[in-house]
Amino acid sequence: MKTFLIIVGIIAVIVILLIVGLITASKRIEKKNKKSRVEMEMANPLPKEKQHLLAYGANLSLYRSESPRILPVKVDYETLKEGLSSYWGVSNPEEAVQTLEWLLTEGHRAKYDQLLLALKAGQSFTEEEVGKSQECYESAQEAMMKKLSFAKSDFDRVNTIAAWDFDRAVNIARWSYILGYITEEQAWSYIERAADAASHFFQSWKDYFISFAFGRAIAYEGDIYDILWNGKELLNEEDSIWNEFSIKRSGTGSR
């Protein structure tokens, strides 16, 4: 019995050390990523008004460990080109414009907003009807309440997954410009359209994040755990781009 307890104790210590090691490594990586972002921002400065526009693409930017304050990205040209082609079917100017116009005028919200409203109303669906969308939606709410301390009432204000479309539009415009599919002027035009639409749709960055998370859960049928830390940074850290600029284009300095 004594030997058994010793073994259990050793295992417990090993597990604790592994957890501490993983947390330490994660913090080290996060610190390194932030330093890299700051260095790129200093090398490619943008005026505040353009940084404000890019704030509407911050979810996906941080998810990819990129700065949400500038147009350049860390990933190399060929990797970006392959990714945009593989995941978005964008490999030329025509496809870039077509995708951006779809995201801004229709997007996934055209198909899934009604499902979101039905789920919020308490309707239940089979997996045959909606795939994993309902399961992912319920999981997303639970995760945001647990990890970000959101209240159930926070979800009541959000009736659209439009942020899922607008955030991606900002980044598709950014990448398409880098790859030479659209001009810088075109890129800023698309980004501004996304920002204007988001400013109209949402009252706070919290609402915007919830909408983005619901879009990922319902339209993409994806787990949102990997975007929670980005949300925590954007919403809670004093120097985040969301805490510098308002969700409304007319003002700054609030959420």
Side-chain angles (χ1 to χ4, degrees):
M1 181 58 131
K2 185 177 180 180
T3 302
F4 174 75
L5 292 175
I6 291 173
I7 292 173
V8 170
I10 292 172
I11 292 173
V13 170
I14 292 173
V15 170
I16 291 171
L17 288 174
L18 285 172
I19 292 173
V20 171
L22 288 172
I23 292 173
T24 302
S26 178
K27 288 182 177 179
R28 189 180 298 119
I29 291 171
E30 182 182 356
K31 186 175 180 180
K32 183 179 180 181
N33 284 337
K34 285 186 177 181
K35 182 181 178 182
S36 176
R37 295 205 309 260
V38 170
E39 289 173 350
M40 286 193 69
E41 289 163 8
M42 291 178 67
N44 303 275
L46 280 177
K48 292 296 184 181
E49 59 268 24
K50 288 191 172 180
Q51 290 185 43
H52 193 174
L53 294 176
L54 290 174
Y56 300 88
N59 282 306
L60 191 51
S61 292
L62 288 185
Y63 173 73
R64 294 173 56 86
S65 299
E66 301 290 356
S67 169
R69 293 179 179 272
I70 56 176
L71 286 178
V73 294
K74 293 184 296 182
V75 66
D76 65 88
Y77 182 94
E78 289 302 323
T79 301
L80 184 61
K81 183 178 181 180
E82 174 60 27
L84 199 55
S85 176
S86 298
Y87 293 104
W88 281 92
V90 172
S91 56
N92 57 54
E94 292 75 21
E95 291 168 347
V97 168
Q98 183 179 29
T99 298
L100 286 163
E101 289 293 340
W102 175 77
L103 284 167
L104 292 171
T105 61
E106 182 180 352
H108 278 135
R109 62 192 180 279
K111 179 179 179 181
Y112 290 100
D113 273 2
Q114 289 302 312
L115 176 57
L116 172 61
L117 293 176
L119 291 170
K120 289 184 64 177
Q123 293 186 40
S124 185
F125 300 89
T126 65
E127 189 168 327
E128 193 174 71
E129 291 174 311
V130 298
K132 295 186 179 298
S133 290
Q134 180 166 356
E135 177 187 339
C136 291
Y137 164 76
E138 292 169 352
S139 176
Q141 287 190 85
E142 183 180 348
M144 285 187 276
M145 287 190 289
K146 185 177 180 181
K147 300 295 184 181
L148 298 178
S149 299
F150 286 3
K152 196 77 173 177
S153 58
D154 290 325
F155 306 130
D156 295 340
R157 297 188 302 271
V158 180
N159 297 313
T160 177
I161 65 164
W164 173 245
D165 293 323
F166 300 149
D167 196 286
R168 293 181 301 159
V170 170
N171 286 281
I172 295 296
R174 182 184 187 184
W175 303 334
S176 295
Y177 160 65
I178 292 170
L179 294 174
Y181 298 154
I182 60 176
T183 65
E184 182 175 359
E185 184 180 1
Q186 285 177 299
W188 284 116
S189 176
Y190 284 121
I191 292 169
E192 186 165 16
R193 284 173 60 187
D196 285 341
S199 181
H200 172 74
F201 268 88
F202 300 99
Q203 297 303 312
S204 70
W205 287 118
K206 179 184 281 189
D207 293 351
Y208 192 76
F209 180 80
I210 291 171
S211 175
F212 180 85
F214 279 165
R216 183 177 176 85
I218 296 172
Y220 184 67
E221 295 183 26
D223 194 320
I224 71 158
Y225 277 96
D226 54 356
I227 66 168
L228 289 175
W229 307 117
N230 304 332
K232 191 171 185 179
E233 176 180 338
L234 288 165
L235 292 167
N236 297 337
E237 295 192 7
E238 290 185 7
D239 62 349
S240 80
I241 194 168
W242 282 2
N243 277 319
E244 179 174 355
F245 301 106
S246 171
I247 186 70
K248 299 298 184 182
R249 296 273 322 276
S250 58
T252 59
S254 67
R255 295 186 195 180

